[in-house]
Amino acid sequence: MSILIKSATIIAPGNNSLHQKKRDILIQRGQIEKIASTIAPKGSEKIIERTNLHASIGWFDGGVAFGEPGFEERETIANGLDVAAKSGFTDVVLNANTNPTPDTSSDIVFLKDRARGKLTDLHPMGNLTLGGNGKGLAELYDMHNAGAVAFYDHKKSLSDANLLKIALLYAQNFNGLVCSFPQDASIAAYGNVHEGAVSTRLGLKGIPALAEELQLARDLFLLEYTGGKLHIPTISSARSVKLIAEAKKKGLDVTCSVAIHNLFFTDEELETFDTNFKTLPPLREKKDSQALIKGLKNGTIDYVTSDHTPIDIEEKRVEFDNANYGTIGLESTFGGLNSLVGTDMAVELLTKGRERFHISAPDLKEGVPANLTLFDPDETFVFSNGHIGSTSKNSIFLNRKIKGRVFGSIKNGKIELN
């Protein structure tokens, strides 16, 4: 297939020869053949022309959930990857929250097979412990050899410090990445939302920021003792940003991410008791979201994730205490992030993170495989159900004004456009 992208403003921070330049891009047989001010069509190309068209290298999401196997009613792998492609993400890391959870090499092979032939590449994580029960290590080395990019008991805190110590030591044998969810379960207890003035006023059980910070401090002490590579998914508090910054100054090999909704929203949204605002970690206070944005800008936080978590309607249309955690986010991540930090930084953040999972980063130049995201950074609109391609509709951004519309993406010789 030949594709000719016409008059696209290229967003490539750090590449002075292309950044903010308007160019035509010719793609032949999946490779970028030519980038020039003007390329005349020959008649056989699929021509892409959009108002205010912009292009960057393909975006990356380091933490999505779909559902298959076990929760296909929430989202299948096939549909989830189609949604990711149309949302601009050409690589996604899949969380281990299926049923059964991926504990073995054959589980990883199954997940990769289900994603075969799609535009967006899927990179599965395996469980850190068997069944995610926190009591014994899963088959880390075998899963690594099968293609697992990291090991994580999705949104489950590991209470056994010695088990995390062993995992960090063992994974060094094959340069494996260990992930640890930052929440002390004994402190969080039966909480549903951030513990503070809002939870007190609404009568909702709280999860104090201390639960996150205490677990994070413990994990960083363990990393300092063992060495190895540690990733902390979705931090949410100002103090956590400070702890990560201090650890990096010590030279510890630690990275972290933040979910887009913890940047965009605060616990003030809970006044409506809308269960789409029930997330884990919970939405916290304004000072926390401001510290998280500052941590992104100064490099303390390594990348942003959609934390895309489809939940079916039966688990959301219930009393707030009984609702399941999670919000979908692939379709709205760019618009939310672009609204907060501007286009250049949004694109820079959405293209970071691959290297942590040993995923090859794409390039935007002639002679390389086309791996591109197409978008309009300036269109402002109210996000609605009509913008959702996911099977589940539990979006925290519903009825929220955001800035930036994604047209689609190109990779693996395929194109997906909205």
Side-chain angles (χ1 to χ4, degrees), residues 159-401:
S159 61
D160 189 335
N162 189 58
L163 194 57
L164 181 59
K165 182 194 78 173
I166 293 169
L168 286 165
L169 289 168
Y170 177 63
Q172 290 177 54
N173 293 302
F174 51 90
N175 200 27
L177 178 62
V178 173
C179 304
S180 178
F181 183 59
Q183 181 170 288
D184 186 305
S186 64
I187 299 290
Y190 299 103
N192 289 297
V193 299
H194 171 65
E195 183 179 271
V198 173
S199 65
T200 302
R201 184 167 67 250
L202 299 179
L204 294 171
K205 300 181 182 72
I207 301 174
L210 175 66
E212 175 172 307
E213 295 151 7
L214 189 63
Q215 187 88 356
L216 177 55
R218 184 207 72 172
D219 292 352
L220 293 173
F221 273 121
L222 287 170
L223 179 64
E224 188 172 8
Y225 179 80
T226 60
K229 296 167 58 177
L230 179 66
H231 179 70
I232 307 295
T234 59
I235 65 171
S236 66
S237 83
R239 177 63 177 162
S240 292
V241 178
K242 187 176 180 181
L243 288 168
I244 293 288
E246 291 169 350
K248 288 187 172 185
K249 285 180 182 177
K250 290 180 180 179
L252 300 185
D253 193 351
V254 61
T255 51
C256 67
S257 64
V258 62
I260 179 60
H261 44 265
N262 284 102
L263 300 170
F264 199 93
F265 298 99
T266 70
D267 61 348
E268 294 289 340
E269 303 289 346
L270 299 171
E271 299 282 355
T272 63
F273 289 91
D274 183 344
T275 56
N276 285 334
F277 291 97
K278 184 175 181 180
T279 63
L280 195 66
L283 303 177
R284 300 203 187 272
E285 299 173 24
K286 186 67 174 178
K287 65 179 177 65
D288 295 300
S289 61
Q290 290 174 336
L292 292 167
I293 292 171
K294 184 178 179 181
L296 276 172
K297 290 181 176 180
N298 65 28
T300 300
I301 300 174
D302 295 274
Y303 65 87
V304 176
T305 174
S306 69
D307 200 22
H308 181 83
T309 308
I311 301 295
D312 48 58
I313 194 169
E314 290 83 4
E315 294 184 83
K316 279 294 187 181
R317 283 196 182 172
V318 293
E319 297 85 354
F320 198 95
D321 283 353
N322 296 326
N324 203 343
Y325 294 102
T327 170
I328 58 172
L330 283 168
E331 300 98 324
S332 51
T333 292
F334 174 66
L337 187 60
N338 185 49
S339 302
L340 291 173
V341 301
T343 303
D344 284 6
M345 178 159 283
V347 169
E348 185 177 356
L349 291 169
L350 291 175
T351 54
K352 287 177 65 178
R354 286 180 172 93
E355 62 282 353
R356 189 58 168 169
F357 297 91
H358 301 290
I359 300 166
S360 297
D363 203 349
L364 209 171
K365 62 181 182 180
E366 295 176 357
V368 303
N371 185 337
L372 302 172
T373 296
L374 308 176
F375 57 97
D376 174 0
D378 298 325
E379 182 178 351
T380 299
F381 63 99
V382 175
F383 189 79
S384 67
N385 269 311
H387 300 115
I388 296 176
S390 302
T391 304
S392 296
K393 309 301 178 185
N394 56 305
S395 173
I396 199 171
F397 278 92
L398 277 172
N399 304 315
R400 193 63 52 137
K401 184 180 287 187

